[in-house]
Amino acid sequence: MFKNNSKENIFLSSAKELKKVQALSVCAMFAALSLILNQVASITIGPYIKIGFSGIPNQLADYLFGPVTGGLFAGILDVVKYFMKPDGPFFFGFTFNAILASLIYGCFYYKKKLTLKRVLLAKFVVFLVVNVILSTLWLDMLYGKGFLALLPMRALKNVIMWPIDSFIFFSITKVIEQTGVFRPLKRTA
């Protein structure tokens, strides 16, 4: 999964991205886009299911700048999104989920050829660990609805959204790559 047979390389390289003005500028642009999408492009179905597109800029940051930069970006952005549009009590578990998801995506995408298979696998890991298991646990802790009572509905939602989200992210990223917008960013990585 990692290039150069070393886990440390991917994390060190990603941490070095934080020193680059270009990376920080692009992350700021992605943050603005994510905040806009969070305000206008999400569908809430009951108190437990939310379908949104604000995660796409987060994943683009993970793809371009790796797990460390992406995780930091996701953690800060999660808190900012909450204060801009709170949809329940603040709970650090969801911020942890955002950071963990970015770490996972960054490990799968950073400095690697993006394929649909890679995106499907990364999304599956995130959906299973972060969305189904951890988010269900946090919802149980917050609302006391019972982990096993929430699990089937959340698992079904994620099984349905898994190929859809994967295809949307893969397609958008490939289209953007074809325009050449990412070339200068990848050259400096």
Side-chain angles (χ1 to χ4, degrees), residues 67-79:
V68 174
T69 301
L72 184 62
F73 172 80
I76 293 168
L77 192 57
D78 183 73
V79 173

Side-chain angles (χ1 to χ4, degrees), residues 51-89:
I51 301 168
F53 301 98
S54 66
I56 293 171
N58 295 46
Q59 289 176 59
L60 289 172
D62 304 334
Y63 171 62
L64 292 171
F65 308 119
V68 174
T69 301
L72 184 62
F73 172 80
I76 293 168
L77 192 57
D78 183 73
V79 173
V80 172
K81 281 181 188 178
Y82 173 79
F83 285 110
M84 287 189 69
K85 186 179 179 183
D87 58 356

Side-chain angles (χ1 to χ4, degrees), residues 9-172:
N9 287 343
I10 193 170
F11 291 99
L12 285 175
S13 180
S14 178
K16 289 178 184 175
E17 298 282 359
L18 291 167
K19 295 180 181 180
K20 298 177 183 175
V21 173
Q22 191 174 28
L24 296 175
S25 300
V26 171
C27 281
M29 180 190 67
F30 284 155
L33 180 59
S34 184
L35 291 169
I36 291 167
L37 290 172
N38 189 55
Q39 294 292 323
V40 298
S42 64
I43 302 163
T44 303
I45 304 169
Y48 309 113
I49 298 177
K50 179 180 175 184
I51 301 168
F53 301 98
S54 66
I56 293 171
N58 295 46
Q59 289 176 59
L60 289 172
D62 304 334
Y63 171 62
L64 292 171
F65 308 119
V68 174
T69 301
L72 184 62
F73 172 80
I76 293 168
L77 192 57
D78 183 73
V79 173
V80 172
K81 281 181 188 178
Y82 173 79
F83 285 110
M84 287 189 69
K85 186 179 179 183
D87 58 356
F90 180 79
F91 185 71
F92 182 75
F94 295 116
T95 302
F96 174 77
N97 282 4
I99 294 167
L100 181 60
S102 282
L103 287 171
I104 293 168
Y105 288 135
C107 288
F108 273 92
Y109 302 155
Y110 185 53
K111 295 188 175 187
K112 295 179 179 68
K113 181 175 172 40
L114 194 70
T115 63
L116 185 56
K117 182 179 176 181
R118 183 180 301 279
V119 173
L120 282 164
L121 185 57
K123 289 273 188 188
F124 179 78
V125 172
V126 169
F127 278 5
L128 179 65
V129 173
V130 177
N131 296 359
V132 174
I133 296 172
L134 290 176
S135 288
T136 305
L137 178 63
W138 306 148
L139 289 170
D140 176 38
M141 290 171 69
L142 277 170
Y143 300 110
K145 295 288 184 182
F147 183 86
L148 294 176
L150 294 171
L151 192 63
M153 176 180 56
R154 295 196 48 77
L156 178 63
K157 179 243 179 186
N158 281 279
V159 165
I160 292 168
M161 293 306 298
W162 171 46
I164 296 168
D165 281 356
S166 298
F167 182 74
I168 289 170
F169 174 73
F170 178 76
S171 300
I172 288 172

